């Protein structure tokens, strides 16, 4: 028997997809509140630029490129799933998951250097925001990576292909959050 | 019951082309602030970020062909964020008012001023 999220569509949108939109709506409030707090503090504390100059713009840009590319793979996986090509969708989802992994490796490298240089969660309010915002985002990347692997395993057997679109939507949202984190944490010096 | 068509089944843009535009915009957002002109930085970093987010939402998330109320839902959440900002920002961004003074914040800014000159 198929789950209700697959078969029911009372609102004109399949229930599974509607649930993902609601998740995103709540995530906007979570990330939005955090980023709004960051922006107002940043504007009130010009001295934070003394700290912001130590973030690595090139690594931030590299991670943006990685996430944009993984989003491309996610939407191509969605397209393949629509054509009933489960194996191709699974391969593309694995490529997306690879992007998530590269993102996390770059982030680990970046953080280990910053922590070794003495910029920790408690050293300054700027760094508190930096690690909280980027850390919360990284948790979402890890969650997406795990879900993507589960969906890919099913898609490879041509099962539950509608889930490829759902994890794709979530992944694009994670990408959009980073699109805003990048200028706020790396470019505004 | 038959499966509802996914939104993207109705329209598929050239995704690789969209990705190319996004990468070009990323380059703009990195190069623009190098000129160190405030307006150019604002437009290339933050203006371009809004454009990139729009392109991803429209083309990869297919928001333009999704039911309209989903857009209203998401925009409503962004509006709540702006409401939060408008309500709280004056107290955070300003360090003194008619009958109050945030001495701790003023001290932090004052103490950091000499260090700022070093950079």
């Amino acid at each position: 028997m198929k789950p209700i999220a697959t078969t029911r569509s009372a609102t004109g949108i399949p229930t599974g997809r509607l649930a993902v939109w609601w998740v995103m709506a709540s995530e906007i409030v979570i990330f939005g509140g955090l980023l709004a707090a960051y922006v107002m503090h940043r504007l009130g504390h010009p001295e934070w630029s003394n700290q912001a100059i130590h973030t690595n713009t090139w690594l931030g840009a590299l991670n943006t490129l990685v996430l944009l590319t993984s989003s491309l793979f996610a939407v191509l996986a969605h397209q393949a799933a629509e054509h009933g090509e489960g194996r191709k969708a699974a391969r593309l989802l694995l490529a997306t998951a690879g992007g998530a992994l590269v993102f996390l490796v770059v982030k680990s490298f970046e953080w280990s250097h910053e922590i070794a240089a003495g910029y920790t969660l408690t050293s300054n309010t700027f760094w508190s925001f930096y690690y909280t915002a980027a850390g919360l985002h990284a948790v979402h990347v890890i969650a997406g990576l795990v879900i993507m692997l589960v969906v890919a395993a099913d898609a490879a057997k041509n099962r539950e292909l509608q889930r490829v679109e759902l994890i794709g939507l979530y992944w694009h949202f994670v990408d959009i959050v980073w699109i805003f984190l990048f200028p706020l944490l790396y470019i505004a010096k | 019951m038959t499966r509802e068509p996914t939104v993207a089944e109705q329209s598929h843009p050239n995704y690789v082309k969209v990705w190319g535009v996004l990468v070009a915009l990323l380059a703009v957002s990195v190069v623009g602030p190098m000129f160190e002109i405030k307006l150019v930085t604002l437009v290339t970093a933050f203006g371009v970020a809004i454009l990139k987010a729009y392109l991803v939402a429209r083309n990869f998330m297919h928001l333009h062909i999704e039911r309209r109320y989903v857009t209203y839902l998401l925009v409503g959440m962004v509006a709540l964020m702006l409401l939060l900002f408008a309500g709280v920002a004056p107290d955070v961004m300003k360090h003194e008012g008619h009958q109050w003074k945030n001495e701790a914040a003023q001290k932090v800014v004052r103490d950091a001023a000499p260090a700022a000159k070093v950079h």
Side-chain angles (χ1 to χ4, degrees), chain B residues 64-112:
Chain B
H64 66 305
I65 49 171
E66 181 58 284
R67 295 274 171 152
R68 189 60 65 85
Y69 69 79
V70 171
T71 304
Y72 295 152
L73 172 70
L74 300 180
V75 170
M77 297 300 139
V78 174
L80 282 178
M81 183 194 82
L82 295 176
L83 186 66
L84 168 81
F85 187 91
V88 182
D91 278 355
V92 176
M93 288 167 62
K94 287 184 164 190
H95 298 156
E96 62 181 327
H98 287 304
Q99 294 182 40
W100 61 276
K101 199 181 268 188
N102 185 345
E103 289 175 356
Q106 285 179 335
K107 184 176 184 306
V108 171
V109 175
R110 210 170 38 242
D111 290 350

Side-chain angles (χ1 to χ4, degrees), chain A residues 7 9 11 13 17 21-22 24-25 29 32 40 44 47 50 53 68-69 72 75 78 82 165 172 179 184 187, chain B residues 1 4 6-9 12 15 19 29 33 49 61 63 66 69-70 73 77 81 93 95 108-109 112 116 119:
Chain A
T7 54
S9 178
T11 56
I13 299 177
R17 197 166 79 222
W21 286 125
W22 273 108
M24 263 180 248
V29 179
M40 64 180 83
E47 80 279 6
N50 299 339
I53 54 167
L68 288 175
T69 308
L72 171 69
V75 79
H78 172 200
E82 277 179 359
E165 179 187 23
H172 302 315
I179 283 173
L184 287 172
I187 291 184
Chain B
M1 189 181 287
E4 279 282 314
T6 65
V7 278
E9 278 171 352
H12 281 291
Y15 295 121
W19 173 81
S29 65
M61 299 169 92
L63 209 51
E66 181 58 284
Y69 69 79
V70 171
L73 172 70
M77 297 300 139
M81 183 194 82
M93 288 167 62
H95 298 156
V108 171
V109 175
H119 298 292

Side-chain angles (χ1 to χ4, degrees), chain B residues 7-26:
Chain B
V7 278
E9 278 171 352
Q10 301 162 51
S11 159
H12 281 291
N14 184 335
Y15 295 121
V16 177
K17 200 171 161 184
V18 174
W19 173 81
V21 173
L22 287 166
V23 172
L25 287 173
L26 169 63

Side-chain angles (χ1 to χ4, degrees), chain A residues 27 136 160 163:
Chain A
E27 295 276 4
L136 183 65
E160 307 292 355
R163 289 181 182 166

Side-chain angles (χ1 to χ4, degrees), chain A:
Chain A
M1 195 174 131
K2 301 286 277 181
I4 197 165
T6 314
T7 54
R8 187 165 175 264
S9 178
T11 56
I13 299 177
T15 309
R17 197 166 79 222
L18 183 64
V20 176
W21 286 125
W22 273 108
V23 166
M24 263 180 248
S26 61
E27 295 276 4
I28 288 174
V29 179
I30 294 168
F31 278 106
L34 186 62
L35 294 187
Y38 170 80
V39 169
M40 64 180 83
H41 277 86
R42 184 73 200 262
L43 293 173
H45 289 272
E47 80 279 6
W48 281 18
S49 57
N50 299 339
Q51 306 297 323
I53 54 167
H54 299 295
T55 59
N56 192 323
T57 306
W58 293 110
L59 287 184
L62 172 65
N63 260 349
T64 310
L65 177 65
V66 168
L67 279 191
L68 288 175
T69 308
S70 69
S71 253
L72 171 69
F73 290 141
V75 79
L76 290 176
H78 172 200
Q79 195 174 19
E82 277 179 359
H83 295 142
E85 300 170 289
R87 288 179 70 86
K88 186 179 174 186
R91 276 199 305 274
L92 285 161
L93 276 185
L94 287 179
T96 313
L101 210 55
V102 171
F103 179 91
L104 292 170
V105 168
V106 172
K107 199 113 266 314
S108 309
F109 173 80
E110 195 186 348
W111 278 20
S112 58
H113 274 71
E114 283 158 355
I115 291 167
Y119 306 117
T120 64
L121 187 68
T122 54
S123 55
N124 174 280
T125 323
F126 168 80
W127 291 103
S128 300
F129 268 112
Y130 172 83
Y131 285 112
T132 305
L136 183 65
H137 180 264
V139 168
H140 282 75
V141 171
I142 294 167
L145 171 62
V146 172
I147 298 166
M148 221 163 329
L149 293 176
V150 173
V151 174
D154 273 340
K157 296 169 198 158
N158 264 318
R159 288 204 306 240
E160 307 292 355
L161 290 183
Q162 82 285 351
R163 289 181 182 166
V164 176
E165 179 187 23
L166 307 188
I167 184 59
L169 284 176
Y170 171 85
W171 194 248
H172 302 315
F173 175 77
V174 170
D175 187 13
I176 287 177
V177 171
W178 184 257
I179 283 173
F180 286 106
L181 283 178
F182 173 57
L184 287 172
L185 299 178
Y186 294 87
I187 291 184
K189 299 291 192 190

